[in-house]
Amino acid sequence: MRKRRLAILGGLFLAVPLVAGAFFRQTPLPADGLRLFSQVLQRIQDNAVDSVSKSDLYEKAARGLIKNLKDPYADLYSPAELASFQRNTLRNNYGGLGMQIERQDEEIVITRVFPNTPAATGGVIPGDHIIRVDTTVVTGLKIEEVSSRLVGQPGTAVNVVFQRPGVTEQVKGRFVRAVIRVPAVAYTLMLDENVGYIPLQSFNESAAEDVARALMDLKRRGARSYVLDLRQNGGGSLDQALDISDLFLKPGQEIVQVRHRGRTPDIAKATRPSMIDSTPVVVLVDGATASASEIVAGALQDHDRGLVVGTTSFGKGLVQTLFPIEGGWAIKLTTGKWYTPSGRSIQAEHDRLGDDRFVEYAAGTAPGDSLRKRPVFKSDAGRSILGGGGITPDVVVMPDSATPAERELSKAVGAAFNAWYVTMYSYAVDMKSKLAPDFKVTQAHRDEFFNRLMKAKVGITQVQFDAAQSVIDRNLETWFARLAFGDSTAFRRNSADDPQMKSALDLLRRATTQRQLLAVANSAPVKRN
């Protein structure tokens, strides 16, 4: 893969070297400002009722300075915070056990165990509750506090005590931490009409490799078209976004450009032939598709290489740069904006910086433009595509709207949603060894779930519960299938109720090339409002 700087998109990681102290040499504080700061610092140090060390005061002042910038993504990271930020952002290559944890009420619960990891080989299963890590009882601790005790240097050992639902005795294990590789593509599926399905869940350090492997595997299995699912994908590494776009585009085609203040724009281009030539591709997006995901979707849309289906993406097109400073600390600042090849700004107006003059706007846009007056851009083939922030789909397909009964149920659950979720999850854990692959949700399942909700004091009535049976059944089916048989089974079972996926498959059935797919969408768009 090409060598590039690693960048942050929205909240994503970027490392750029900087000589320590360069800010102060280049932009010294005015003398009046220095005197003011020194006098305030001295007064606090001498007279504040609570004693605070000078080191702590300086850190508080630095954090206060960053907090008062007109930059919603600016932050200051201590060495420990920086390590956590890197681990949680790219979610790869850290020393750990290979399990996903979640705080449910006061308990720390295992919600996913990744294959070929110490947790998997050690017999950990979803639903296990972590009771103790080494000598620390973790019940009631924050999720970050528990995570920091589980991760560490690869090769080091950690002792963990679990409570398994339905088992009286606690389960104890000694695990040796290993480098954990969390797959960006957890599974692939061959759907009807030889459609290869690739759910890209993150842009971690192996995302491009995972997508390339998925394309090759599905191609060998006879895929004649593809669905790249970027829904709910909040982004990640810029390098991976560029390399994934490279898998679909032609050499020399622009992928994205970043516009900084007072600098020539940086432009990234594809460098190698597409892996799948003119095979039709649909890209699924929604309101949670953000940053790196929007770069991929925008590049494929602008070059007519992917038909975008779904709802308008989030619109997270700000570039954050992480500047290392002395002592292992780092400061993150917004330094630019991302634009698609046609000149569309990815950044939506809801996140505009306070200084509207920060970077040049794309032609046809200006501060204050309404999203209802979005500028129109052109793809390579002359198709009209909308700008104004985010990636607007070629074919807008809204999710099924909630019925009045479903809205009433949601309102009744209200603040008790966490109890609802914990009850649903624990019921699925109890059921996972009792289900056949072709199970159906029965009245007995509904009754048991309702009884558990009553014990958890979720304030809904039997009438409200019964009136929303369809959404109850979908939730039970999803969680039962996910915990008993995995994410791929859950998706396959639920795809019939997924209007965006159904529209994508309907369009792909009528096209053998990308050009035909675009023509089909243009002549008979599938829209649901």
Side-chain angles (χ1 to χ4, degrees):
M1 294 184 182
R2 61 171 68 82
K3 294 183 178 178
R4 309 187 191 91
R5 293 180 300 171
L6 188 64
I8 303 173
L9 309 172
L12 308 174
F13 181 69
L14 170 67
V16 175
L18 180 73
V19 177
F23 289 114
F24 300 100
R25 288 198 298 270
Q26 294 175 1
T27 54
L29 281 171
D32 289 347
L34 281 172
R35 282 198 296 270
L36 174 63
F37 179 79
S38 298
Q39 290 173 15
V40 171
L41 179 68
Q42 192 64 49
R43 291 296 185 187
I44 293 173
Q45 205 169 6
D46 293 344
N47 300 292
V49 65
D50 293 323
S51 175
V52 183
S53 70
K54 182 174 286 189
S55 176
D56 287 343
L57 283 175
Y58 279 129
E59 180 184 336
K60 291 178 184 296
R63 293 189 184 277
L65 171 62
I66 291 171
K67 185 178 180 180
N68 282 280
L69 296 175
K70 292 180 178 180
D71 183 346
Y73 299 109
D75 210 344
L76 178 67
Y77 295 103
S78 68
E81 291 169 336
L82 179 60
S84 176
F85 173 74
Q86 291 172 313
R87 182 176 65 249
N88 293 332
T89 298
L90 297 181
R91 295 181 292 177
N92 230 4
N93 296 332
Y94 62 90
L97 307 188
M99 55 193 187
Q100 183 173 298
I101 61 176
E102 185 177 280
R103 195 170 189 264
Q104 298 181 4
D105 292 335
E106 294 294 304
E107 301 293 328
I108 302 298
V109 180
I110 310 299
T111 57
R112 179 172 296 184
V113 177
F114 299 105
N116 305 314
T117 62
T121 57
V124 179
I125 60 176
D128 285 349
H129 292 212
I130 301 178
I131 304 300
R132 190 170 67 247
V133 178
D134 287 329
T135 60
T136 302
V137 175
V138 301
T139 301
L141 294 185
K142 295 180 180 178
I143 195 78
E144 297 83 2
E145 295 176 298
V146 181
S147 177
S148 66
R149 288 169 168 79
L150 291 169
V151 301
Q153 288 295 321
T156 58
V158 60
N159 296 298
V160 186
V161 177
F162 303 91
Q163 184 66 61
R164 184 161 295 167
V167 178
T168 303
E169 294 184 359
Q170 293 180 339
V171 180
K172 301 178 180 179
R174 180 177 176 82
F175 304 87
V176 177
R177 298 182 179 96
V179 173
I180 303 301
R181 183 186 181 280
V182 180
V185 179
Y187 63 91
T188 59
L189 291 174
M190 186 69 79
L191 304 177
D192 294 342
E193 307 294 332
N194 288 349
V195 176
Y197 175 70
I198 304 174
L200 180 57
Q201 300 174 344
S202 69
F203 282 75
N204 63 21
E205 292 173 330
S206 66
E209 179 184 345
D210 287 354
V211 173
R213 186 181 298 111
L215 286 169
M216 291 176 61
D217 175 61
L218 291 168
K219 190 175 182 179
R220 281 194 297 265
R221 291 160 60 184
R224 293 199 291 266
S225 59
Y226 299 90
V227 173
L228 179 64
D229 195 344
L230 299 179
R231 292 176 298 178
Q232 301 296 306
N233 187 326
S237 166
L238 166 65
D239 282 353
Q240 299 300 313
L242 300 181
D243 286 331
I244 289 170
S245 300
D246 221 347
L247 299 172
F248 297 90
L249 299 177
K250 298 176 182 178
Q253 287 185 315
E254 183 179 316
I255 298 172
V256 71
Q257 63 174 273
V258 59
R259 301 181 190 177
H260 307 274
R261 181 174 56 194
R263 283 174 46 187
T264 301
D266 294 327
I267 298 175
K269 296 183 178 182
T271 61
R272 57 192 174 192
S274 168
M275 287 187 64
I276 55 173
D277 300 322
S278 63
T279 306
V281 175
V282 167
V283 182
L284 295 180
V285 300
D286 63 9
T289 301
S291 66
S293 295
E294 293 173 296
I295 286 178
V296 174
L300 269 59
Q301 185 181 44
D302 282 7
H303 293 302
D304 303 295
R305 189 61 196 91
L307 181 74
V308 180
V309 174
T311 56
T312 301
S313 64
F314 182 81
K316 200 171 194 178
L318 297 178
V319 182
Q320 274 74 57
T321 303
L322 195 73
F323 298 95
I325 51 182
E326 287 182 349
W329 290 67
I331 180 174
K332 184 178 67 173
L333 297 171
T334 298
T335 57
K337 287 186 177 181
W338 298 109
Y339 289 80
T340 72
S342 66
R344 293 179 293 163
S345 173
I346 292 175
Q347 181 64 18
E349 194 164 333
H350 59 68
D351 251 340
R352 189 181 301 286
L353 292 179
D355 181 2
D356 279 329
R357 298 166 299 172
F358 182 66
V359 290
E360 180 185 358
Y361 287 87
T365 66
D369 277 352
S370 167
L371 294 181
R372 291 186 295 272
K373 287 179 57 180
R374 289 188 169 186
V376 178
F377 294 78
K378 295 295 183 180
S379 72
D380 289 356
R383 294 185 304 123
S384 294
I385 46 181
L386 293 179
I391 304 300
T392 300
D394 301 299
V395 179
V396 176
V397 183
M398 303 300 294
D400 286 336
S401 57
T403 65
E406 290 168 354
R407 289 195 293 270
E408 178 65 25
L409 178 67
S410 178
K411 182 179 178 181
V413 171
F417 176 77
N418 186 64
W420 168 286
Y421 172 77
V422 171
T423 302
M424 175 75 75
Y425 188 91
S426 61
Y427 184 25
V429 169
D430 292 345
M431 289 297 300
K432 68 180 182 178
S433 62
K434 305 172 185 177
L435 297 168
D438 60 348
F439 75 90
K440 302 288 185 184
V441 174
T442 66
Q443 187 60 46
H445 293 139
R446 301 182 196 104
D447 292 342
E448 174 63 18
F449 182 44
F450 181 78
N451 291 336
R452 291 183 179 223
L453 290 173
M454 294 301 97
K455 291 180 182 178
K457 301 188 184 311
V458 176
I460 61 173
T461 67
Q462 184 75 61
V463 172
Q464 291 170 328
F465 184 87
D466 291 342
Q469 179 179 315
S470 59
V471 73
I472 298 292
D473 286 1
R474 286 198 301 272
N475 274 265
L476 288 172
E477 181 177 13
T478 296
W479 280 104
F480 284 2
R482 180 173 295 167
L483 292 188
F485 308 109
D487 289 340
S488 61
T489 299
F491 173 81
R492 193 182 287 276
R493 291 182 64 108
N494 292 331
S495 59
D497 297 318
D498 182 343
Q500 294 164 347
M501 176 58 69
K502 288 197 294 185
S503 293
L505 294 176
D506 178 60
L507 290 162
L508 288 170
R509 287 189 192 98
R510 295 182 276 162
T512 59
T513 67
Q514 188 69 30
R515 173 179 279 187
Q516 288 179 356
L517 178 63
L518 297 173
V520 167
N522 184 60
S523 62
V526 181
K527 296 193 177 186
R528 300 185 184 184
N529 297 303

